[in-house]
Amino acid sequence: MATVFPACEPTTLAVVDCECRFPVHRIYCVGRNYADHAREMGADPSREAPFFFTKPADAVVGTNQTINYPPKTMDLHHEVEMVVAIERGGKNISVESALTHVFGYAVGLDLTRRDLQTEAKAKARPWCVAKAFDHSALIGPITEHHDCGHPGSAAIELKVNGEPRQRGDINQMIWSTAEIISHLSSYFELAPGDLIFTGTPAGVGALQPGDKLHATIEGLAPFDGTIV
């Protein structure tokens, strides 16, 4: 069907050891899914139902690229996370079957304009301008699950300019990958190409232009990038 102007190019991500790329549909993020991070943000890390926010698909930046420091902020923060890539959609997915919907996993960084988020929280406003801006979803190459399994315990780390900033293990997540998928699919019908950021451990902090990022999760391809 003809369109009134050319459509934007679809967003895709590299897949480890594969010439094909992963087509991105939607990006969902889980808030405060590590107890130590919940505490550092002044929240109760009890096992309350997870909550979600979104980012646009074209916020994605792949590895070994530059990331523009966003406007309207003086406090850009890093949050290293495991990202789940969905291959098979569905709604009201059970915890028991949730992992059969997974294509693979990747290292991600959820960038946050923390000053704008703090203001939004104080005024009970949405987080869109704090979370869903351009270049706010940094994601490394996706490793297919048959190559890495379904990680339940793996070291996760972010180094900035070679210095450790965040360290933890994904086994510290309050809600597991399967539980996150199940909860999320009760709110949205998931589709092939969806990505889910699963939360960050403690140690979030500010970034500056010139900072070099190296994010890793044991068993997955790393993410590298530079803030400009």
Side-chain angles (χ1 to χ4, degrees), residues 161-174:
N161 301 323
E163 297 296 325
R165 284 282 189 92
Q166 290 183 265
R167 281 177 172 169
D169 194 293
I170 61 171
N171 65 13
Q172 298 165 340
M173 291 196 302
I174 297 170

Side-chain angles (χ1 to χ4, degrees), residues 15-192:
V15 177
V16 174
D17 295 330
C18 181
E19 293 184 1
C20 297
R21 294 180 66 86
F22 183 88
V24 179
H25 180 244
R26 293 176 179 171
I27 301 174
Y28 301 97
C29 306
V30 184
R32 294 198 295 261
N33 196 34
Y34 285 73
D36 53 358
H37 173 58
R39 292 188 187 98
E40 78 173 346
M41 299 304 293
D44 179 0
S46 62
R47 205 169 140 86
E48 62 182 356
F51 69 93
F52 303 96
F53 57 92
T54 63
K55 294 176 181 277
D58 61 3
V60 164
V61 178
T63 193
N64 295 318
Q65 297 187 45
T66 56
I67 303 105
N68 292 329
Y69 194 97
K72 302 291 187 180
T73 184
M74 297 296 290
D75 198 19
L76 177 67
H77 275 211
H78 55 72
E79 300 184 13
V80 66
E81 312 196 13
M82 183 174 74
V83 178
V84 181
I86 297 297
E87 179 176 28
R88 188 164 63 90
K91 56 185 177 180
N92 297 317
I93 298 167
S94 69
V95 173
E96 294 73 20
S97 67
L99 296 183
T100 67
H101 293 255
V102 174
F103 174 80
Y105 300 86
V107 179
L109 284 161
D110 164 20
L111 297 188
T112 303
R113 292 193 273 207
R114 190 70 72 198
D115 44 0
L116 300 189
Q117 184 189 39
T118 300
E119 180 182 1
K121 288 179 178 179
K123 297 180 179 180
R125 292 177 177 174
W127 293 3
C128 299
V129 296
K131 288 286 193 179
F133 53 92
D134 298 337
H135 291 195
S136 63
L138 316 183
I139 306 176
I142 298 170
T143 301
E144 296 183 64
H145 73 82
H146 56 67
D147 291 327
C148 66
H150 294 287
S153 178
I156 180 172
E157 182 179 59
L158 171 66
K159 291 182 178 179
V160 179
N161 301 323
E163 297 296 325
R165 284 282 189 92
Q166 290 183 265
R167 281 177 172 169
D169 194 293
I170 61 171
N171 65 13
Q172 298 165 340
M173 291 196 302
I174 297 170
W175 295 94
S176 70
T177 298
E179 290 169 328
I180 290 169
I181 292 170
S182 180
H183 275 286
L184 183 60
S185 70
S186 71
Y187 291 102
F188 304 94
E189 182 172 0
L190 299 183

